[in-house]
Amino acid sequence: MKIVVLVKEVPDTYGERQLSLETGLAERGASDPVMDEIGERAIEVALSYADKNAGTEVVVMSMAPQSAQATVRKGLAMGASSAVQVADPALAGADLGLTAEVLAAAIKRAGADLVIAGNQSTDGSGGVLPSMVAERLGLPQLTFLSAVEIGADTVQGTRTTDSGVFQVSASLPAVISITEALPDGRFPNFRSIMAAKKKPLETVSLADL
């Protein structure tokens, strides 16, 4: 099975946040850049399955500038097999619609049996990107899952809402998003950090897609 995990570099939530008065966009340099914690949890879901199922390939994918490569490599240090980074100056300030279009194209190019994402980022907090990616790919979507069970041909989980608790399932390939109810991401040790430097990280542009 090939699992693609979508991650995002965001300003540290414990740091200062600022908006540019010229562009209206977040000042990315106002605080240290980090991988969004919900992305780390999404990687953990994929790696937990891979630990028990030999032959599983976990690919970390992000749409981010070249400067975010260290953040993407953290996913490799956590245990992912490879990474894909979509980096193109034309994507600066991209909205959710363009981001979903680009990520969907990158996923099509890479191929995936399952796409895992966090439910929402800590900077934009849109909460709709996984659904938009699924729509672009024409795949079923299971969103805001507080529990996940991945099978050989299906994925199922628990979605908790104000209306109640729902058990949902879908055939693979599919797109899912998870909440903070899932476990924290594992901490990379020194050996895995060094090993990550030798793992493949492909950088693609809009022209490549």
Side-chain angles (χ1 to χ4, degrees), residues 176-200:
I176 67 171
S177 70
I178 57 104
T179 70
E180 292 182 348
L182 274 296
D184 291 334
R186 60 192 66 184
F187 189 78
N189 56 35
F190 179 75
R191 178 179 294 181
S192 62
I193 293 174
M194 296 305 294
K197 296 180 179 181
K198 300 180 181 180
K199 292 181 178 180

Side-chain angles (χ1 to χ4, degrees), residues 122-170:
T122 55
D123 55 353
S125 299
V128 295
L129 185 67
S131 296
M132 297 174 79
V133 169
E135 180 72 14
R136 283 280 183 181
L137 294 172
L139 296 179
Q141 54 177 293
L142 306 181
T143 55
F144 287 81
L145 300 183
S146 55
V148 177
E149 183 177 340
I150 304 170
D153 302 306
T154 61
V155 60
Q156 56 187 337
T158 303
R159 179 192 292 135
T160 303
T161 72
D162 293 338
S163 303
V165 178
F166 299 86
Q167 300 301 321
V168 292
S169 64

Side-chain angles (χ1 to χ4, degrees), residues 1-3 49 54-58 113-114 150-154 172:
M1 180 181 293
K2 187 172 186 178
I3 303 176
Y49 177 82
T56 302
E57 180 183 0
V58 178
D113 299 298
L114 178 64
I150 304 170
D153 302 306
T154 61
L172 298 179

Side-chain angles (χ1 to χ4, degrees), residues 76-101:
L76 297 177
M78 291 175 66
S81 314
S82 62
V84 176
Q85 180 179 356
V86 182
D88 196 301
L91 294 173
D95 62 8
L96 285 165
L98 178 57
T99 301
E101 183 178 2

Side-chain angles (χ1 to χ4, degrees), residues 5-77:
V5 183
L6 302 180
V7 300
K8 185 179 184 183
E9 182 179 84
V10 298
D12 191 340
T13 54
Y14 295 101
E16 184 179 0
R17 298 191 180 191
Q18 296 179 1
L19 287 177
S20 168
L21 297 181
E22 294 181 1
T23 65
L25 302 175
E27 286 282 10
R28 297 289 173 177
S31 59
D32 294 332
V34 296
M35 181 183 291
D36 204 342
E37 181 186 352
I38 197 66
E40 295 182 8
R41 293 175 189 260
I43 293 174
E44 184 61 33
V45 171
L47 294 178
S48 295
Y49 177 82
D51 290 343
K52 301 174 184 177
N53 296 272
T56 302
E57 180 183 0
V58 178
V59 180
V60 172
M61 182 177 290
S62 184
M63 192 185 93
Q66 289 283 0
S67 59
Q69 190 171 108
T71 298
V72 177
R73 281 203 181 276
K74 181 178 181 180
L76 297 177

